[in-house]
Amino acid sequence: VLPLLAYASLFFLSSKAKQSLFTKRTILFFSLIGLVGAFLGKGANPPFGDVYIFLFDYLPGFVVFRDPTKWYVLTALSFSILIPSGVYFIYTTIRVKYISNLFLLALICYLFFLISPALLGELTGTFQKDEVPKEYVVFKNFLQKQTDFSRTLWVPRQQRFSFYSKIHPPVEAIHLLHATSSAQAIKKMKKEGPDFLAQLSIKYIIVPYDSTEDIFLKDRKYNDKEYQKTVSMLEEISWLKKVDGFGKIAVFKTPEYYDHFWLSGDGTVRYTMIDTSDYTFVVDIKSPQKLIFAENYNPFWQIKTRNTVIASEKTKNGLNSFFLSKAGTYTGEVTFLPT
């Protein structure tokens, strides 16, 4: 119905019509734009699908239109001009007033029918309203009860509903382990061993419930076997313990994890987070050693005490470390210099 209303404008462009030359040219221009958008919007589908493939292969910049539905913008633009024009021409052509009014009423009702999914919250795809799965609510409550600092490692990556906070930040396995797939990430994790994860303060390893079906894909489609394969590979790691009670969120606990701050030798550390770039601490040590700060190394991290400033050094795992050269008690701040 909408294309009929749009291109109905063309029937009123005869030489005898009263429309101005500008109006005629405008309608012809937007009609052409609409047809071009409709033709390109179908992509490589028939008829003449080879045209789109040829343009994609040989026209510079056309690669950005891998998804041909982007061309619907042209159709929408043309219809925004053509449909009001077509309705106006039909309305003014109908001689009987009550019939013309009935035509407008029927058109308004039809348009409301078309947008009813938006009004009733029934849109799908990008505009679909997603409820947070109960599994993620249960997991959030589980983490919130734990007041000690720890990280969660998501394999292969986070899901949009995954919970995080300042004391429970998430890490994505594919980025941490420089992997391209779940299998590759798990193999690298097994090779590094549990101490590697412990030093990064990782307490839980999580395979997300892919409720939106955009993580575990094969040939661009959701594949539950990919999810099951990831869970099975983690279940085969002897030093991981599976934690039940979270539905399709598979949760595994590591054997050990270090705090946000820890020492390379014997001693005690007490700290308070002011914000994510400022911490106060008290350290007691009986011999020179390093204070490890389990965050990505950055030379702008530093320790400020009453008497000195200690710059950050990079550990083998890419964390920050501060060398405490004397035994005793250290009181001060760990701050990010630019702030």
Side-chain angles (χ1 to χ4, degrees), residues 22-323:
F22 174 79
T23 300
K24 293 179 180 180
R25 288 179 175 177
T26 300
I27 292 174
L28 288 173
F29 172 77
F30 281 103
S31 297
L32 179 62
I33 290 294
L35 291 173
V36 170
F39 178 76
L40 295 177
K42 69 178 181 57
N45 293 314
F48 308 113
D50 292 338
V51 174
Y52 197 88
I53 297 175
F54 175 84
L55 293 173
F56 188 84
D57 290 338
Y58 297 105
L59 184 66
F62 205 86
V63 68
V64 300
F65 297 100
R66 180 180 294 274
D67 179 5
T69 57
K70 293 177 181 178
W71 290 107
Y72 288 158
V73 171
L74 294 182
T75 304
L77 176 64
S78 68
F79 277 23
S80 68
I81 301 297
L82 295 178
I83 290 177
S85 299
V87 170
Y88 172 76
F89 292 147
I90 294 172
Y91 178 79
T92 55
T93 302
I94 299 175
R95 301 295 183 181
V96 183
K97 187 174 182 179
Y98 75 88
I99 296 180
S100 60
N101 291 338
L102 189 62
F103 164 74
L104 287 182
L105 179 62
L107 178 63
I108 292 171
C109 292
Y110 176 68
L111 293 177
F112 270 109
F113 168 76
L114 290 181
I115 66 171
S116 60
L119 298 176
L120 300 175
E122 297 174 351
L123 289 176
T124 59
T126 303
F127 300 100
Q128 182 176 352
K129 183 180 179 181
D130 291 318
E131 297 291 338
V132 179
K134 63 179 181 180
E135 290 90 341
Y136 284 99
V137 177
V138 172
F139 183 67
K140 180 200 73 170
N141 295 335
F142 171 74
L143 280 183
Q144 283 184 323
K145 293 178 182 178
Q146 303 179 36
T147 57
D148 55 326
F149 180 87
S150 65
R151 289 190 170 91
T152 53
L153 179 66
W154 296 77
V155 183
R157 58 184 174 86
Q158 291 184 79
Q159 207 262 3
R160 69 181 66 179
F161 298 121
S162 57
F163 172 76
Y164 65 92
S165 67
K166 290 181 179 179
I167 64 170
H168 298 300
V171 182
E172 295 189 332
I174 57 174
H175 295 147
L176 175 66
L177 299 163
H178 307 289
T180 57
S181 66
S182 300
Q184 187 181 35
I186 294 171
K187 288 179 181 178
K188 288 187 176 183
M189 184 175 65
K190 289 173 67 176
K191 183 179 179 180
E192 295 289 349
D195 192 56
F196 168 75
L197 299 179
Q199 292 182 22
L200 300 179
S201 306
I202 293 173
K203 185 177 182 180
Y204 296 106
I205 298 174
I206 302 161
V207 181
Y209 165 34
D210 193 5
S211 60
T212 52
E213 299 186 352
D214 55 7
I215 297 177
F216 298 102
L217 306 178
K218 188 173 183 180
D219 297 330
R220 300 184 183 182
K221 293 182 180 180
Y222 175 76
N223 190 321
D224 191 64
K225 291 183 179 179
E226 295 294 317
Y227 164 82
Q228 297 294 345
K229 178 182 176 182
T230 303
V231 174
S232 298
M233 290 183 70
L234 289 172
E235 289 176 337
E236 293 172 359
I237 300 177
S238 59
W239 43 267
L240 288 179
K241 180 183 178 182
K242 192 171 184 181
V243 182
D244 296 322
F246 304 101
K248 287 200 71 174
I249 301 178
V251 179
F252 299 84
K253 188 176 181 180
T254 58
E256 183 184 18
Y257 68 98
Y258 298 170
D259 205 343
H260 209 177
F261 289 88
W262 50 278
L263 293 167
S264 59
D266 294 330
T268 60
V269 181
R270 300 184 302 276
Y271 70 92
T272 302
M273 177 191 288
I274 308 303
D275 58 44
T276 54
S277 62
D278 190 11
Y279 302 80
T280 60
F281 70 91
V282 177
V283 174
D284 290 304
I285 55 174
K286 296 181 180 180
S287 62
Q289 57 186 282
K290 291 182 178 181
L291 173 66
I292 310 299
F293 177 40
E295 291 287 348
N296 281 335
Y297 168 75
N298 191 305
F300 291 115
W301 284 109
Q302 64 178 13
I303 279 181
K304 290 182 179 179
T305 65
R306 183 179 300 177
N307 302 319
T308 186
V309 173
I310 304 174
S312 175
E313 299 176 358
K314 191 174 185 178
T315 69
K316 290 192 301 182
N317 288 345
L319 304 177
N320 299 278
S321 68
F322 307 94
F323 183 65

